[in-house]
Amino acid sequence: QVQLVESGGGLVQAGGSLRLSCAASGGTFSNYGMGWFRQAPGKEREFVAAISRSGGTTSYSDSVKGRFTISRDNAKNTVYLQMISLKPEDTAVYYCAAVRSKAIASRIGAYEYWGQGTQVTVSS
């Protein structure tokens, strides 16, 4: 059983930056592909970014490509989401998720474990 705990959310002005962290425990972190998702009020949860087990492959949604960077430190059992040039439409609860797979996954249903989420609010 893998436990995931996100941190780093907060309130930031448009154009600002934040770095989210997700600490994993309860499993061998390097066996899991990791993903970040977000859910805005009244909207469905959506894919943001994913990273392979080794960190060598990443994938991003079109809405964040070029502004967000996903990375991981397997020695620290942590995955990160660096967000720059934030926009009000980035406001959402951000979740990290884990899947025991070699491949990167963007489907919500592919992920086995989820964190509790961290709120990101971008003011205009």
Side-chain angles (χ1 to χ4, degrees), residues 75-97:
K76 295 183 177 180
N77 292 351
T78 302
V79 62
Y80 305 97
L81 186 68
Q82 179 68 51
M83 307 183 293
I84 66 171
S85 302
L86 283 161
K87 305 175 182 179
E89 50 263 44
D90 294 319
T91 294
V93 177
Y94 282 71
Y95 300 89
C96 72

Side-chain angles (χ1 to χ4, degrees), residues 3-38:
Q3 292 82 44
L4 303 171
V5 179
E6 301 95 336
S7 61
L11 174 64
V12 64
Q13 289 187 335
S17 62
L18 281 175
R19 188 176 82 155
L20 305 183
S21 299
C22 173
S25 61
T28 301
F29 184 65
S30 58
N31 286 344
Y32 292 85
M34 300 297 295
W36 284 97
F37 293 79
R38 66 187 182 186

